[in-house]
Amino acid sequence: MSLEIVSQARCFGGTQYVYRHQSEATGTAMRFAAFVPPAAETEPAPVVWFLSGLTCTEENFTVKAGAQRVAAQLGLVLIAPDTSPRGEGVPDDPDGAYDFGLGAGFYVDATQEPWRAHYRMASYVGEELPAAIAGLLPVDVSRQGITGHSMGGHGALTLALKNPGRYRSVSAFAPIVSPLDCPWGEKALGGYLGPDRAAWRAYDSCALIEDGARVPDILVDQGLADGFLDTQLKPHLLEEACRRAGQPLTLRRHEGYDHSYFFIATFIEDHLRWHAERLG
């Protein structure tokens, strides 16, 4: 695989890149953002993946979260993929809805037509892209952490739970913790995976934990002024699943914070330091 540099800029002594490449997993051109800290100029650095939420691209986290300063201090490479395949021939929600299709890949490998040919974000984020950057960027893929926001928080939790040992650390901002139990999840998993709800369990954090999946620990931040809290996110379901299973979870609830990137920018330093401690 070759990476085409779309843009680059110096940032806190490191470099913020946006790359484009051809993906076998999605069958499309894909973009991702990569912040490379100064420490990576001399030796490979640990990597933290950030998975964005509905409607986002690689740009949202890169320009809004303010993560580069802390990542530079801690010597972390930050990788932010896009949220879905894009391009001519890639199907979209027929009604143009924001919560399915383009910008809403839900970090699953679709099994239903017409989505299965391109909507394979679980394989892209979990397998193809890490393997690609290992040979092309100064990253130590033996030290990976993963985090994300909303739909991306769901992706971070499920990828970590399904791949024990791959990620040394996992956290999330306002994640969709149980797609089996919310409208966003029911629409996405029903569309991409079909009507058999048993197949959805592989992409539901609470179900994975109930079925025996474990990670060393989990950090979740949730704003209590989040408009999606009660209908879509339901962090109490994750709390209950972890309590029953003995899965370590730190769930922090914050009065007054909503679902926006102002919330993420407020707590991104805490998350990056959480990952840095576990990535060595």
Side-chain angles (χ1 to χ4, degrees):
M1 180 186 294
S2 60
L3 298 181
E4 174 191 352
I5 297 176
V6 177
S7 65
Q8 67 182 90
R10 293 294 285 173
C11 185
F12 293 104
T15 306
Q16 178 66 61
Y17 296 95
V18 174
Y19 289 101
R20 179 168 47 229
H21 69 105
Q22 189 65 29
S23 166
E24 292 184 7
T26 68
T28 67
M30 296 293 293
R31 290 164 58 117
F32 67 92
F35 174 71
V36 178
E41 296 176 0
T42 56
E43 61 180 346
V47 56
V48 174
W49 300 84
F50 186 93
L51 308 185
S52 291
L54 291 166
T55 76
C56 292
T57 69
E58 77 288 339
E59 183 178 28
N60 298 74
F61 172 75
T62 303
V63 302
K64 293 182 177 181
Q68 292 91 342
R69 175 185 60 82
V70 179
Q73 292 175 357
L74 299 174
L76 299 173
V77 172
L78 301 178
I79 304 289
D82 200 349
T83 51
S84 77
R86 302 178 194 270
E88 187 175 350
V90 177
D92 192 10
D93 185 283
D95 299 320
Y98 75 93
D99 56 358
F100 191 81
L102 298 182
F106 250 81
Y107 304 101
V108 307
D109 284 346
T111 60
Q112 304 299 298
E113 299 296 347
W115 319 103
R116 62 184 299 173
H118 299 297
Y119 284 79
R120 304 186 68 248
M121 292 300 292
S123 289
Y124 173 70
V125 171
E127 299 174 19
E128 182 182 24
L129 192 51
I133 67 168
L136 298 170
L137 296 179
V139 297
D140 179 358
V141 292
S142 70
R143 294 186 289 162
Q144 296 187 78
I146 190 166
T147 185
H149 173 226
S150 193
M151 177 185 73
H154 141 79
L157 293 173
T158 54
L159 280 167
L161 287 163
K162 290 172 65 174
N163 297 280
R166 178 178 297 175
Y167 305 99
R168 292 192 189 182
S169 55
V170 57
S171 72
F173 297 85
I176 302 169
V177 304
S178 184
L180 280 159
D181 295 295
C182 73
W184 280 342
E186 290 180 352
K187 180 177 181 178
L189 299 188
Y192 293 134
L193 305 178
D196 181 7
R197 292 177 67 91
W200 300 7
R201 294 184 69 84
Y203 296 105
D204 184 293
S205 300
C206 295
L208 286 165
I209 291 169
E210 290 169 1
D211 294 343
R214 298 289 184 272
V215 291
D217 50 15
I218 300 169
L219 171 65
V220 171
D221 276 309
Q222 175 63 61
L224 294 181
D226 191 319
F228 303 113
L229 177 61
D230 296 327
T231 57
Q232 306 284 6
L233 307 178
K234 303 181 179 181
H236 66 279
L237 297 179
L238 180 64
E239 194 170 42
E240 293 166 4
C242 288
R243 177 183 53 79
R244 289 193 298 267
Q247 165 63 56
L249 167 69
T250 300
L251 173 56
R252 309 191 307 181
R253 294 174 169 92
H254 305 279
E255 291 286 352
Y257 285 91
D258 61 15
H259 201 67
S260 72
Y261 266 83
F262 295 114
F263 163 62
I264 297 172
T266 301
F267 298 106
I268 188 65
E269 180 167 354
D270 292 354
H271 282 246
L272 293 182
R273 293 192 181 280
W274 164 279
H275 288 279
E277 289 175 3
R278 288 152 181 79
L279 297 174

